[in-house]
Amino acid sequence: MDSVLSSTLLLTLLMGIGLLFFLRAASKDRTTVVEVNSSRPPLEVLEGLNQWLLQRGWQTIAGDPEQQLLRFEGQVDASVPLAVLLSVLGASGATALGLVLRQLLPALSYWPLLLALLGPLAGRIYLIRARRLETLELRLLPQQGFVPTTLKLRAHRDELIALERSLGRSLNLHSDGRLLSSPL
């Protein structure tokens, strides 16, 4: 095996490993807890959050008045464009592996190129793993100083970011800012 084929095989295998890690990361649980403050009264903030969540398809599943806790549940769908991209990347990588195997083992003829048919499997795996039932917990904390409303929210990071961007101004919600500034 010459150096060009061996390095091409190595790079192709590394690309496959990268795809596997990307699939794993794309469907990873990113549940986060954040404290949010508002200068608005608690009932106004809770009603605004409740309406926003219901509009997005979330359903109230539990509430505990003693702990001042509300729990919502919603189905999170996978991104179809990302699934298509992963399928194309998987097919490209499998084709590249097939071409390298064809060069290494000429007796196999063109059979290794059939590995390209495994490409859509990457998109399918992503679709299965990324669709899941998520929960959002909302707990009203005791009044702290001059801030009438403090909430502790526990949910998927993307949902918390969407909440802060959508309702930040209308409900005067403020967090510590780490949620919108951190890359992951």
Side-chain angles (χ1 to χ4, degrees), residues 54-70:
L54 293 175
Q55 287 173 355
R56 290 178 58 93
W58 290 82
Q59 298 174 346
T60 307
I61 58 168
D64 186 353
E66 289 180 16
Q67 294 184 358
Q68 296 188 336
L69 175 73
L70 284 173

Side-chain angles (χ1 to χ4, degrees), residues 34-39 149 151 164 168 171-177:
V34 66
E35 277 192 25
V36 177
N37 300 312
S38 176
S39 59
T149 305
L151 299 170
E164 191 165 340
L171 295 177
N172 199 19
L173 297 176
H174 303 283
S175 68
D176 61 5

Side-chain angles (χ1 to χ4, degrees), residues 1 5 12 24 30 46 49 55 79 93 98 100 102 105 111 117 129 137-138 141 148 155 159-160 163-164 169:
M1 177 160 65
L5 281 177
T12 305
R24 185 171 171 230
R30 287 189 166 78
L46 291 174
L49 286 170
Q55 287 173 355
S79 167
V100 171
R102 169 140 172 36
L105 306 167
W111 287 105
L117 297 176
R129 292 192 60 187
E137 290 181 4
L138 183 148
L141 299 175
E159 200 64 31
L160 292 173
L163 184 144
E164 191 165 340
R169 282 201 178 135

Side-chain angles (χ1 to χ4, degrees), residues 7 22 27 49 54 63 81 91-92 128 163 165 169 176 180:
S7 64
F22 185 85
S27 56
L49 286 170
L54 293 175
S92 301
I128 291 169
L163 184 144
R165 286 187 175 155
R169 282 201 178 135
D176 61 5
L180 295 176

Side-chain angles (χ1 to χ4, degrees), residues 3-4 6 9 16-17 19 30 40 46 56 60 73 77-78 89 96 101 104 118-119 145 157 160 169 174 177-179:
S3 63
V4 173
S6 62
L9 177 62
I17 291 169
L19 179 62
R30 287 189 166 78
R40 309 258 176 161
L46 291 174
R56 290 178 58 93
T60 307
E73 190 174 74
D77 285 330
L89 289 174
L101 290 176
L104 289 174
L118 295 175
R157 183 181 182 281
L160 292 173
R169 282 201 178 135
H174 303 283
R178 285 183 293 149
L179 195 60

